[in-house]
Amino acid sequence: MSAPRDPRSPDPGYLAFWRAHHLCTLTTHRPDGSPHVVPVGVTYDPETGLARVITRTTSAKAAHVRAADPPGARVAVCQVHRGTWATLEGLATVSDDPTRVAEAVRRYAERYGRTPAPNPLRVVIEIALTRAMGNA
């Protein structure tokens, strides 16, 4: 078990693990409370305390986040590579603000080495981070 870390002040190894090209998972909750886990690309910005996931406005993950009461949906994003893992948790909201979506796409392209094709249905799930953990 890993001790919790400050998501706004990660050590260099933890941040490097989040900057490397790894597929992640996002866990949201369905209306019945059961977990919904899907593969996603995630970007981590400790300076603002945000993790970001781009998706379509019609996706189940966006719907689950929107259905939560304010201040947001409790979610987790996680990545694993062999025996190394890292999880970020926080309160998620969905934004269709073009500036926020563009920033999320820019960060995605930087981390994953490709710019997603334009999509008029694209939104960003922004996760205000409350916890970080892992052995990275």
Side-chain angles (χ1 to χ4, degrees):
M1 179 99 141
S2 158
R5 305 164 181 248
D6 179 355
R8 288 181 151 267
S9 185
D11 64 62
Y14 192 81
L15 185 57
F17 188 62
W18 274 104
R19 298 255 161 97
H21 188 291
H22 296 295
L23 188 61
C24 305
T25 60
L26 169 69
T27 302
T28 59
H29 294 92
R30 296 181 183 99
D32 68 2
S34 64
H36 177 255
V37 184
V38 293
V40 294
V42 176
T43 61
Y44 172 32
D45 180 9
E47 292 83 26
T48 62
L50 291 176
R52 295 174 178 91
V53 174
I54 55 176
T55 189
R56 291 178 334 278
T57 192
T58 57
S59 71
K61 57 189 158 286
H64 296 157
V65 170
R66 282 193 189 101
D69 291 331
R74 295 187 59 76
V75 303
V77 289
C78 183
Q79 62 183 19
V80 177
H81 179 71
R82 299 186 180 177
T84 304
W85 65 276
T87 297
L88 297 167
E89 297 178 7
L91 295 173
T93 56
V94 176
S95 177
D96 62 0
D97 175 86
T99 301
R100 294 171 99 93
V101 173
E103 179 64 8
V105 169
R106 182 190 73 76
R107 288 176 179 275
Y108 178 96
E110 185 178 278
R111 181 174 188 195
Y112 292 102
R114 70 173 193 84
T115 300
N119 182 343
L121 298 178
R122 182 168 290 131
V123 294
V124 58
I125 297 173
E126 294 181 323
I127 305 164
L129 300 172
T130 57
R131 182 181 303 183
M133 57 189 150
N135 66 0

